[in-house]
């Protein structure tokens, strides 16, 4: 990028750490991970600043952001239903048409074939009312930005928010929320199918993060139980056998947290940024970057701390892939919230590489 006004590079203790992991029987796919933050000072930003929005990438590579909880300069906060697109090194309003989804946050979007589907979410409505948890499903024509509300199809088992969706091969998306303790739901654009699972599944949780690792392995990390306790555990779902595996952890790991960012780096490596943990005085925003290295059998994980300096700590942000080449990927960080302190409107690029 041309706007390199802030740059922080983290270099791991590569040789020592790698030899220790190999000695413990952990085969790493990418032992030489390093991360670099760059603030894009001149990039056009999403306004008003926001958190709890949902991001998704269309089949033809358009990165979009929808809705969220916005904050004005006078600290007035409210929920929106606008649509933004990342192009020309910045965020730009995308004109929408059709039957738009209403204002919401903590929703989720997954693709079925070429079509993005938005599932559920939360509309806080008037402060103090608790708002409405939504069960609606909208689909987007990504060529025309035309929304359609699906008639006669709602989320299974009732309204949901703080859930995750993953786009699967074979024109299907996976839906997982706090009710899915020994099953997941699959959606083909018309109806949901309850898919039983075996193995050690994630405990009941929301505000967790999920990503695909390979075409047949999905990863879930962290989250919060309805009682407020948070976790830092990792689970892989084998999509051929529908078997969950709770990954064994080697060495240090991120603190238990909710609403972190989680992105695939390779079939056996994912990147985690931020989230909110619980401290003595309440919620604490996190600003660390970790690489999650998973062994070739998807049984164990070793965490590698990449950076503790860069963007201000936050949760309820989004981190999305915008470019890649062999051994290197670049992700854009958008929005987020330091709980009860500040909503962020900056723009940071995270470059992750497995090269020395």
């Amino acid at each position: 990028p041309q706007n390199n006004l802030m740059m922080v590079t983290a270099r791991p203790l590569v040789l020592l750490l790698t030899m220790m992991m190999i000695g413990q029987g952990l085969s790493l796919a990418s032992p030489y991970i390093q991360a670099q933050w760059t603030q894009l000072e001149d990039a056009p930003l999403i306004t008003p600043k926001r958190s709890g929005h949902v991001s998704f990438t269309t089949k033809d590579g358009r990165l979009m952001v929808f809705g969220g909880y916005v904050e004005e300069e006078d600290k007035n906060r409210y929920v929106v239903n606008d649509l933004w697109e990342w192009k020309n090194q910045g965020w730009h309003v995308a004109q929408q048409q059709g039957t738009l989804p209403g204002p919401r946050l903590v929703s989720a979007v997954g693709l079925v074939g070429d079509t993005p589907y938005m599932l559920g979410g939360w509309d806080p409505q008037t402060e103090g009312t608790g708002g409405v948890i939504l069960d609606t499903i909208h689909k987007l024509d990504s060529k025309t930005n035309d929304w359609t509300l699906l008639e006669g199809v709602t989320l299974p088992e009732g309204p949901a928010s703080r859930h995750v969706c993953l786009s699967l091969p074979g024109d299907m998306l996976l839906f997982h929320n706090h009710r899915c303790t020994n099953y997941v739901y699959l959606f083909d654009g018309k109806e949901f199918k309850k898919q039983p699972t075996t193995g050690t599944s994630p405990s009941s949780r929301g505000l967790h993060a999920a990503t695909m690792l390979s075409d047949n392995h999905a990863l879930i990390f962290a989250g919060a139980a309805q009682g407020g306790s948070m976790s830092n555990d990792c689970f892989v779902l084998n999509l051929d056998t529908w078997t969950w595996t709770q990954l064994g952890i080697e060495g240090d790991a991120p603190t238990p947290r909710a609403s972190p960012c989680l992105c695939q780096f390779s079939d056996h490596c994912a990147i985690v940024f931020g989230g909110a943990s619980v401290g003595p005085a309440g919620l604490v925003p996190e600003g660390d970057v970790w690489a999650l290295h998973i062994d070739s059998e998807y049984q164990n994980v070793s965490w590698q701390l990449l950076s503790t300096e860069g963007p201000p700590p936050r949760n309820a942000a989004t981190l999305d892939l915008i470019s890649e080449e062999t051994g290197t990927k670049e992700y854009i960080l958008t929005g987020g919230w330091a709980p009860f302190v500040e909503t962020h409107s900056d723009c940071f690029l995270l470059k992750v590489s497995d090269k020395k």
Side-chain angles (χ1 to χ4, degrees):
Q2 296 178 350
N3 305 301
N4 295 343
L5 297 186
M6 177 176 179
M7 190 172 293
V8 181
T9 303
R11 296 185 181 276
L13 299 174
V14 174
L15 183 58
L16 177 60
L17 183 59
T18 302
M19 292 181 68
M20 289 173 61
M21 292 174 179
I22 293 173
Q24 294 169 356
L26 181 62
S27 174
L28 294 183
S30 301
Y32 298 104
I33 294 289
Q34 52 187 344
Q36 174 180 289
W37 283 111
T38 303
Q39 185 171 9
L40 306 183
E41 291 275 7
D42 298 329
L45 302 175
I46 294 177
T47 56
K49 53 189 177 181
R50 66 194 59 202
S51 62
H53 50 282
V54 63
S55 63
F56 58 96
T57 300
T58 65
K59 201 75 168 182
D60 58 359
R62 298 170 64 206
L63 173 59
M64 316 292 288
V65 157
F66 179 90
Y69 218 169
V70 305
E71 181 179 312
E72 300 282 3
E73 293 304 318
D74 61 2
K75 298 298 184 180
N76 182 37
R77 301 185 72 209
Y78 54 94
V79 66
V80 294
N81 66 338
D82 50 358
L83 184 68
W84 294 75
E85 180 179 357
W86 176 265
K87 59 183 179 181
N88 302 323
Q89 294 298 304
W91 288 107
H92 302 271
V93 174
Q95 299 301 317
Q96 307 174 82
Q97 55 186 343
T99 306
L100 274 61
R104 67 193 64 200
L105 69 154
V106 288
S107 181
V109 173
L111 270 63
V112 176
D114 295 341
T115 304
Y117 287 81
M118 178 175 295
L119 279 61
W122 174 42
D123 180 359
Q125 299 188 333
T126 304
E127 185 175 356
T129 66
V132 177
I133 306 296
L134 304 166
D135 64 359
T136 54
I137 303 170
H138 291 76
K139 68 177 182 179
L140 177 69
D141 184 325
S142 58
K143 297 186 184 303
T144 63
N145 293 341
D146 192 346
W147 289 101
T148 301
L149 171 65
L150 271 61
E151 301 287 350
V153 183
T154 56
L155 293 182
E157 301 185 56
S161 65
R162 305 164 179 87
H163 50 282
V164 295
C165 288
L166 292 173
S167 306
L168 305 184
D171 294 345
M172 196 82 64
L173 69 77
L174 182 151
F175 168 74
H176 182 277
N177 71 356
H178 66 284
R179 302 184 183 102
C180 299
T181 53
N182 60 353
Y183 57 90
V184 295
Y185 279 103
L186 304 178
F187 181 63
D188 63 2
K190 297 180 180 179
E191 60 183 2
F192 285 91
K193 171 190 174 184
K194 190 175 186 178
Q195 173 62 56
T197 59
T198 59
T200 303
S201 60
S203 57
S204 177
R205 67 189 64 197
L207 299 175
H208 46 316
T211 189
M212 295 295 293
L213 290 170
S214 65
D215 284 347
N216 57 354
H217 289 93
L219 172 68
I220 280 180
F221 166 67
Q226 287 186 309
S229 62
M230 297 184 183
S231 66
N232 63 347
D233 46 16
C234 301
F235 297 84
V236 167
L237 179 61
N238 184 313
L239 302 180
D240 293 329
T241 63
W242 300 105
T243 301
W244 285 105
T245 299
Q246 182 172 4
L247 301 179
I249 297 176
E250 303 277 357
D252 295 334
T255 56
R257 60 191 64 195
S259 294
C261 299
L262 177 68
C263 296
Q264 189 251 25
F265 181 71
S266 70
D267 287 359
H268 293 271
C269 183
I271 304 299
V272 169
F273 168 76
S277 60
V278 177
L283 293 175
V284 178
E286 301 289 353
D288 44 359
V289 181
W290 294 79
L292 183 161
H293 300 284
I294 303 173
D295 68 358
S296 56
E297 300 301 318
Y298 294 97
Q299 297 292 320
N300 295 290
V301 60
S302 181
W303 288 98
Q304 179 187 353
L305 180 61
L306 299 181
S307 175
T308 57
E309 300 179 45
R314 66 193 70 190
N315 74 311
T318 52
L319 187 67
D320 295 280
L321 180 69
I322 58 168
S323 68
E324 62 181 307
E325 57 184 41
T326 303
T328 299
K329 292 187 176 182
E330 293 183 328
Y331 308 87
I332 200 73
L333 177 67
T334 307
W337 185 50
F340 309 107
V341 177
E342 181 182 8
T343 301
H344 295 287
S345 62
D346 46 22
C347 188
F348 283 84
L349 181 78
L350 177 63
K351 182 177 181 179
V352 180
S353 175
D354 63 6
K355 300 174 182 177
K356 294 183 181 179

